[in-house]
């Protein structure tokens, strides 16, 4: 018995009978080499433009100047943060950023999902492709172009909508100069621009749902609404949770282009956000350490929100990690 076991162990340990792990790794490496080459540009982008610039965050703890540079400037510890949060405008800027970003996320988040579900139900291929092209197109316009559309529609003097309002009611409405209506225009334009492109991910997720489920539900007498509620939405729930977690990480980010082309001095109380503060104080005012401190705070809040959203999602079995 012992001799038989020894013989079996020798066979299993014989390198001639079993390829080594090194050979297997080499074969896997060669077979995946094309994919790895395709991955390199994306990896370099994130390394060069995302991770390497993180080293510049140290100027948030320094009195930065061009002469001494990033590493030669004197350390000041938490002084920049103390100065930043002792200003009355800081609270307003953070509040505006949170309000605008939260409205954009929570109001705009369902629209790509609804659009993807509606497109998925279309059976005419030519009509589906035409609608997809139309709703995808705004994503590829710059915010300068979108801002021109918004001004053309909502301007007091020459806006198309105000032309109709003035003809009906005799007095135009200042959409871009009233705080409430400006926020509505801001959120609405952002949803209109991005919902078509964002729906692509959900359309891809919908293709993974087994069509047999719909056939069985139809045989059982389930209406189209019931099929969407009990099959479609649960089928893409993992993708929805994933996209929501990623969106929570951007809750402190309000795109500079979007806010800059639509803001004006009249609505600055609600339109002045972190990105415009960094442009005004950091670039125009050359206070780089102060804006670096604000950026560090923004990133920290985003990280905390992502971790919190993922922890909540994990309790329901749908966490990102």
């Amino acid at each position: 018995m012992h001799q038989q076991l020894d013989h079996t162990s020798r066979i299993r340990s014989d390198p001639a009978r079993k390829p080594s792990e090194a050979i297997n790794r080499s074969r896997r490496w060669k077979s995946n080499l094309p994919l790895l080459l395709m991955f390199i540009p994306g990896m370099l982008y994130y390394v060069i433009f995302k991770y390497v610039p993180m080293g510049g965050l140290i100027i948030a703890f320094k009195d930065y100047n061009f002469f001494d540079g990033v590493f030669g400037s004197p350390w000041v510890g938490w002084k920049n943060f103390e100065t930043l949060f002792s200003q009355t405008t800081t609270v307003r800027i953070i509040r505006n950023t949170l309000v605008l970003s939260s409205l954009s996320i929570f109001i705009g988040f369902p629209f790509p999902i609804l659009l993807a579900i509606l497109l998925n139900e279309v059976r005419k291929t030519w009509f589906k492709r035409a609608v997809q092209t139309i709703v995808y197109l705004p994503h590829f316009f710059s915010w300068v172009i979108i801002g021109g559309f918004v001004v053309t529609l909502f301007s007091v003097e020459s806006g198309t909508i105000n032309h109709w309002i003035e003809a009906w009611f005799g007095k135009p409405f200042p959409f871009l100069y009233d705080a409430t209506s400006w926020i509505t225009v801001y959120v609405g334009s952002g949803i209109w621009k991005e919902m078509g492109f964002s729906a692509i991910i959900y359309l891809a997720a919908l293709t993974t749902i087994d069509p047999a489920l719909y056939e069985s539900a139809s045989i059982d007498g389930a209406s189209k609404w019931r099929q969407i509620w009990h099959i479609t939405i649960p089928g893409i729930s993992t993708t929805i949770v994933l996209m929501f977690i990623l969106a929570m990480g951007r809750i402190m980010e309000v795109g500079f282009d979007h806010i800059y082309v639509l803001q004006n001095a009249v609505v600055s109380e609600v339109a002045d956000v972190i990105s415009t503060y960094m442009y005004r104080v950091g670039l125009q005012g050359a206070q780089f350490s102060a804006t670096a401190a604000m950026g560090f705070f923004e990133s920290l809040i985003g990280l905390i929100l992502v971790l919190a959203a993922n922890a909540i999602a994990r309790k329901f079995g749908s966490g990102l990690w």
Side-chain angles (χ1 to χ4, degrees), residues 37-50:
L37 292 176
M38 294 173 61
F39 175 73
I40 288 175
M43 181 184 66
L44 290 177
Y45 168 79
Y46 279 96
V47 170
I48 296 172
F49 296 103
K50 299 295 183 180

Side-chain angles (χ1 to χ4, degrees), residues 5 7 33 50 62 73 95 119 157 188 200 208 258:
L5 291 175
H7 178 68
L33 186 59
K50 299 295 183 180
K62 291 189 170 191
S73 299
R95 181 202 64 198
L119 289 174
E157 296 83 6
I200 295 176
T208 63
H258 188 187

